[in-house]
Amino acid sequence: MTIILMNNSIIPQHGWPSDYVRRYREAGHWRGETFGALLRDRALRHPDRLALIGGGQKLTYGELDQRASAVAAGLRAGGLEPGDRVIVHLPNIPEFVIAVFGLFRAGILPIYALPAHRIAEIEHFALTGGARGYLCAAEHGGFDYRGLAATLQERCPGIEHVIIADGDAAPYTALRAIEAAGAGADLPATVSAPQDIAFLQISGGTTGLSKLIPRTHDDYIYTLRESARICGLDENSVFLCALPMAHNFPMSSPGFLGALYAGARVVLSPSPSPEACFELVAREKATHCSLVPPLLMLWLDAAARATTDLSSLRVMQVGGAKLTPEVARRVEPVLGARLQQVFGMAEGLVNYTRLDDDADTIIETQGRPISPDDEILIVDDHDVPVPPGEPGHLLTRGPYTIRGYYNNPAANQHAFTHDGYYRTGDVVRLTPAGYLVVQGRAGDHINRAGEKISAEEIENHLLAHPAVFDAAVVSVPDDYLGERSCAFIIPRNEKPRAIELKKWIRGRGLAEFKVPDQIVFVDTFSETAVGKISRKALRAQLRAQLQEQKPVQAS
Ligand code: OOB
């Protein structure tokens, strides 16, 4: 573990100080479980129970364990070593689960990318994560991931292994071939220690580029166990995974991993749309599902018209972005399922409303933390706690909140306090009953339908355009998306067309959700001393300006 010196106190760069480790073990939060051993245990306990349904496949716990085991042995035989990192860039297909448990069992760390990510993001993950492998689908949603793999290997020679999970693998290695190579091999159920990093998640990228989030077996499995309990998931439950499964929310709150932990059944939907999901709910008798607010709105409208039988749904979880009370109120009458609000972050802390909370708490708050050992501070701009009930910046530390990003001391200086609290960037208030109500974000990121976009990252790409003199990207409230993005542009000479700038962003190889929804051309940013105010103040000013007056040249 790397130790860095900060504010005269020594804190670990990743990982918890030893007195906290002791405390979390003594409290029974961390029980020494690992992902590799977990699946083996469930497969021994109930080998014939159905674990996973999707992509025309049905796998029992026994089959899933066997396939993951073969993948692990095949990966090792192919030259990957424990501790190596492999980018997992897959849609909701069973191979996602088979492959990541194969990686876990081999002690190799997945780096989870979203299907929407493109070469710019993947290259960044490969470099910052020091990845040796890239695992993708051949093609998905009309996008050729093999083409991306070719560019990635040109740009990042460290990527020695390209593995294709489904479809035509040529000229790369098929996951099937890896599995075949490892079939019958008897690797130990786990080579990892519970305190080891199990995988790297991707941060929302509050400032600049996404950072890598190291999560350990101990801390993540704790959240699975408690999330499954809090959400009422047991071996009779059926979890419909509708959101992209690489997101922390459908992965672990309790998500498909929490469902497997509890011995439940996981059903994978290729799309979160009501068209795709309603049929699966009816056919597989799904009991739990998680959605972001804009999708929930689509579901509610479709359900009011649908003839499909959704009566198996017991818990509808909604999170990732703020849910308005008006929409929240419609969930139970329309879907016949209990609403559960989820306010979480890939860095750790997750809050849930409880299934037996009163209606007001469920509709008006974003829940309370999972753990009695989650420590919450709500502070002003100077880190001084605000009076009870007042809004302030949310800081947190606890048994499953990271103490540092992966290999990123510069970011850690800002993102954590000297005593290990993570600065979430969220502005919240605490109710007398200890529930959090999210008020907004302090930082300059855009929460577009649950996808987080860094204003700075997009500005930097816009500034690279020859016709752009300056750019500022801001969030704008949006009835459907929650927030959308608007780029203010000062042209250098001739004004470029908005469509050309959007094309430029796509051409830079960025995820589609990062393309600005709106572009506004302006002559100057501020009547008052340009350059003398911070970017943050400038963005706030532009946002206010946009809300006050209808811009002339919006597109
Ligand atoms: C989840 O994780 P991330 O890492 O994609 O994003 C975290 C951020 C939070 O800091 C907050 O700004 C926002 O997303 N957020 C919410 C929210 N849930 C997340 N804002 C308002 N209301 C909510 N209910 O988004 C995530 C991870 C685990 C579980 C659920 C969501």
Side-chain angles (χ1 to χ4, degrees):
M1 186 185 295
T2 319
I3 304 289
I4 54 168
L5 205 59
M6 224 164 94
N7 293 354
N8 294 330
S9 63
I10 292 178
I11 62 153
Q13 190 176 330
H14 325 290
W16 290 258
S18 55
D19 46 335
Y20 284 85
V21 171
R22 203 175 319 116
R23 182 164 136 200
Y24 298 150
R25 288 202 192 295
E26 277 171 12
H29 303 331
W30 296 356
R31 297 186 183 168
E33 296 162 290
T34 63
F35 280 100
L38 186 158
L39 180 61
R40 174 59 50 85
D41 173 83
R42 303 305 187 269
L44 289 172
R45 278 205 240 166
H46 40 71
D48 300 326
R49 191 185 293 169
L50 266 184
L52 189 59
I53 297 176
Q57 300 184 57
K58 283 188 181 199
L59 273 82
T60 63
Y61 276 87
E63 289 164 342
L64 179 58
D65 179 59
Q66 219 171 42
R67 293 192 61 183
S69 207
V71 166
L75 289 168
R76 294 295 308 279
L80 283 161
E81 301 287 336
D84 282 344
R85 275 83 60 204
V86 170
I87 298 169
V88 174
H89 196 192
L90 294 177
N92 290 6
I93 54 176
E95 286 78 5
F96 189 116
V97 187
I98 297 165
V100 298
F101 273 97
L103 292 164
F104 290 149
R105 189 155 286 166
I108 301 165
L109 281 57
I111 302 176
Y112 298 121
L114 298 173
H117 285 142
R118 294 292 177 258
I119 185 67
E121 289 97 0
I122 302 296
E123 182 184 353
H124 172 66
F125 303 150
L127 295 175
T128 51
R132 282 190 71 203
Y134 173 65
L135 166 64
C136 64
E139 183 272 335
H140 172 71
F143 183 74
D144 170 22
Y145 289 85
R146 279 174 313 183
L148 190 154
T151 316
L152 182 66
Q153 276 197 309
E154 271 166 38
R155 296 190 190 173
C156 307
I159 300 284
E160 297 161 50
H161 302 260
V162 172
I163 305 164
I164 310 294
D166 63 352
D168 181 10
Y172 304 111
T173 314
L175 184 65
R176 274 283 181 188
I178 291 177
E179 198 183 323
D186 199 19
L187 282 189
T190 189
V191 298
S192 310
Q195 68 272 20
D196 287 346
I197 299 170
F199 57 82
L200 298 167
Q201 265 287 11
I202 304 300
S203 80
T206 309
T207 48
L209 299 167
S210 285
K211 297 175 279 287
L212 298 179
I213 299 171
R215 301 292 302 259
T216 65
H217 295 266
D218 259 338
D219 90 75
Y220 213 63
I221 292 177
Y222 171 46
T223 71
L224 302 183
R225 182 168 50 306
E226 282 307 290
S227 296
R229 186 183 61 74
I230 291 168
C231 306
L233 255 183
D234 59 26
E235 67 278 7
N236 299 314
S237 307
V238 179
F239 175 72
L240 177 68
C241 190
L243 294 170
M245 58 201 293
H247 265 293
N248 198 61
F249 182 20
M251 183 178 288
S252 67
S253 303
F256 74 91
L257 288 178
L260 295 175
Y261 185 93
R265 187 177 299 176
V266 175
V267 177
L268 302 178
S269 177
S271 148
S273 69
E275 293 74 32
C277 289
F278 284 9
E279 227 184 275
L280 286 173
V281 171
R283 197 176 73 208
E284 306 299 341
K285 304 268 175 288
T287 57
H288 291 67
C289 185
S290 46
L291 292 177
V292 291
L295 283 167
L296 172 71
M297 290 196 256
L298 280 185
W299 275 49
L300 288 171
D301 290 347
R305 290 180 267 113
T307 48
T308 341
D309 177 15
L310 303 177
S311 62
S312 60
L313 270 180
R314 286 200 294 111
V315 181
M316 176 52 70
Q317 300 184 290
V318 185
K322 179 89 184 222
L323 178 64
T324 61
E326 299 73 59
V327 177
R329 251 179 231 113
R330 292 173 59 201
V331 172
E332 300 208 11
V334 176
L335 292 174
R338 198 87 177 127
L339 168 66
Q340 180 172 51
Q341 294 216 39
V342 189
F343 163 43
M345 51 210 71
E347 283 83 354
L349 181 70
V350 178
N351 303 275
Y352 294 106
T353 56
R354 303 312 200 247
L355 300 181
D356 58 358
D357 278 338
D358 59 70
D360 273 355
T361 306
I362 291 177
I363 285 164
E364 305 283 348
T365 84
Q366 280 66 59
R368 64 181 162 87
I370 288 181
S371 175
D373 281 316
D374 279 321
E375 297 173 75
I376 298 285
L377 284 177
I378 302 177
V379 300
D380 65 16
D381 288 345
H382 310 287
D383 282 355
V384 177
V386 297
E390 292 292 312
H393 305 284
L394 172 65
L395 311 184
T396 185
R397 65 180 182 191
Y400 59 96
T401 296
I402 56 164
R403 293 293 188 118
Y405 289 106
Y406 186 72
N407 275 349
N408 201 338
N412 291 342
Q413 290 268 355
H414 302 287
F416 297 85
T417 65
H418 68 93
D419 49 358
Y421 280 87
Y422 167 58
R423 299 183 189 277
T424 66
D426 293 312
V427 176
V428 302
R429 70 179 170 81
L430 194 65
T431 69
Y435 284 69
L436 296 172
V437 180
V438 181
Q439 312 275 301
R441 290 278 311 175
D444 282 315
H445 88 183
I446 298 128
N447 187 339
R448 187 185 189 275
E451 301 291 7
K452 316 304 181 310
I453 306 164
S454 152
E456 191 183 315
E457 182 186 0
I458 308 309
E459 286 166 4
N460 288 338
H461 283 286
L462 287 167
L463 284 168
H465 191 285
V468 173
F469 176 71
D470 205 351
V473 174
V474 305
S475 66
V476 187
D478 184 279
D479 287 345
Y480 173 61
L481 296 167
E483 290 176 4
R484 64 176 191 274
S485 61
C486 176
F488 285 86
I489 305 286
I490 303 180
R492 196 171 284 285
N493 294 309
E494 188 126 337
K495 199 174 73 180
R497 293 199 308 151
I499 195 158
E500 190 193 313
L501 289 180
K502 292 187 185 189
K503 219 168 112 195
W504 170 261
I505 294 288
R506 286 191 190 100
R508 306 276 291 179
L510 287 167
E512 182 66 25
F513 63 79
K514 295 183 183 172
V515 175
D517 294 297
Q518 192 178 353
I519 292 179
V520 177
F521 293 100
V522 289
D523 295 332
T524 171
F525 277 153
S526 167
E527 312 265 291
T528 56
V530 180
K532 283 193 188 156
I533 57 171
S534 69
R535 295 301 290 182
K536 193 173 156 64
L538 171 65
R539 292 186 192 114
Q541 205 177 73
L542 290 170
R543 194 180 301 120
Q545 192 179 314
L546 192 67
Q547 281 171 267
E548 271 165 29
Q549 72 205 35
K550 275 263 156 275
V552 206
Q553 291 160 311
S555 65

